[in-house]
Coordinates of all heavy atoms in Angstrom, one line a residue:
L395 N -65.1 26.3 -55.6 CA -64.5 25.2 -54.9 C -63.0 25.3 -54.8 O -62.2 25.1 -54.0 CB -65.0 23.9 -55.4 CG -66.4 23.5 -54.9 CD1 -66.9 22.4 -55.6 CD2 -66.6 23.4 -53.4
R396 N -62.5 25.5 -56.3 CA -61.0 25.6 -56.4 C -60.5 26.8 -55.6 O -59.4 26.8 -55.0 CB -60.7 25.8 -57.9 CG -60.8 24.4 -58.5 CD -60.0 24.6 -60.0 NE -60.7 25.4 -60.8 CZ -61.6 25.1 -61.5 NH1 -62.1 23.8 -61.6 NH2 -62.1 26.0 -62.4
K397 N -61.3 27.9 -55.6 CA -60.8 29.1 -54.8 C -60.7 28.8 -53.3 O -59.7 29.2 -52.7 CB -61.8 30.3 -55.1 CG -61.3 31.6 -54.3 CD -62.4 32.7 -54.6 CE -61.9 33.9 -53.9 NZ -62.9 35.1 -54.0
Q398 N -61.7 28.2 -52.8 CA -61.7 27.8 -51.5 C -60.4 26.8 -51.1 O -59.7 27.0 -50.1 CB -63.1 27.1 -50.9 CG -64.2 28.0 -51.0 CD -65.5 27.4 -50.5 OE1 -65.9 26.5 -51.2 NE2 -66.1 27.7 -49.4
G399 N -60.3 25.9 -52.1 CA -59.1 24.9 -51.9 C -57.8 25.6 -51.9 O -57.0 25.3 -51.1
D400 N -57.7 26.6 -52.8 CA -56.4 27.5 -52.8 C -56.3 28.2 -51.5 O -55.2 28.3 -51.0 CB -56.4 28.6 -54.1 CG -56.3 27.8 -55.4 OD1 -55.7 26.7 -55.4 OD2 -56.7 28.3 -56.3
E401 N -57.4 28.7 -51.0 CA -57.3 29.4 -49.7 C -56.8 28.5 -48.6 O -56.0 28.8 -47.7 CB -58.7 30.2 -49.3 CG -59.0 31.3 -50.2 CD -60.4 31.7 -50.0 OE1 -61.1 31.1 -49.2 OE2 -60.8 32.8 -50.5
K402 N -57.4 27.3 -48.6 CA -57.1 26.4 -47.6 C -55.6 25.9 -47.7 O -54.9 25.7 -46.8 CB -58.0 25.2 -47.7 CG -59.5 25.4 -47.2 CD -59.3 25.7 -45.7 CE -60.8 26.0 -45.1 NZ -60.9 26.2 -43.7
R403 N -55.2 25.6 -49.0 CA -53.8 25.3 -49.3 C -52.7 26.4 -48.7 O -51.8 26.0 -48.1 CB -53.6 25.1 -50.7 CG -52.3 24.7 -51.2 CD -52.0 24.4 -52.7 NE -52.7 25.5 -53.3 CZ -51.8 26.6 -53.6 NH1 -50.6 26.6 -53.2 NH2 -52.3 27.6 -54.3
L404 N -53.1 27.6 -49.1 CA -52.2 28.8 -48.7 C -52.2 28.8 -47.1 O -51.2 29.0 -46.5 CB -52.7 30.0 -49.2 CG -52.5 30.2 -50.7 CD1 -53.3 31.5 -51.2 CD2 -51.1 30.2 -51.1
A405 N -53.3 28.6 -46.5 CA -53.3 28.7 -45.0 C -52.6 27.5 -44.4 O -51.7 27.8 -43.4 CB -54.8 28.6 -44.4
G406 N -52.6 26.4 -45.0 CA -51.8 25.3 -44.7 C -50.3 25.5 -44.8 O -49.6 25.2 -43.9
E407 N -49.9 26.1 -46.0 CA -48.6 26.3 -46.2 C -48.1 27.4 -45.2 O -46.9 27.4 -44.8 CB -48.4 26.9 -47.7 CG -48.6 25.8 -48.7 CD -48.6 26.2 -50.1 OE1 -48.6 27.6 -50.2 OE2 -48.6 25.5 -51.0

Side-chain angles (χ1 to χ4, degrees):
L395 290 171
R396 282 196 298 271
K397 180 179 179 182
Q398 287 179 301
D400 287 335
E401 290 174 352
K402 291 293 184 180
R403 178 179 58 78
L404 290 172
E407 289 176 350

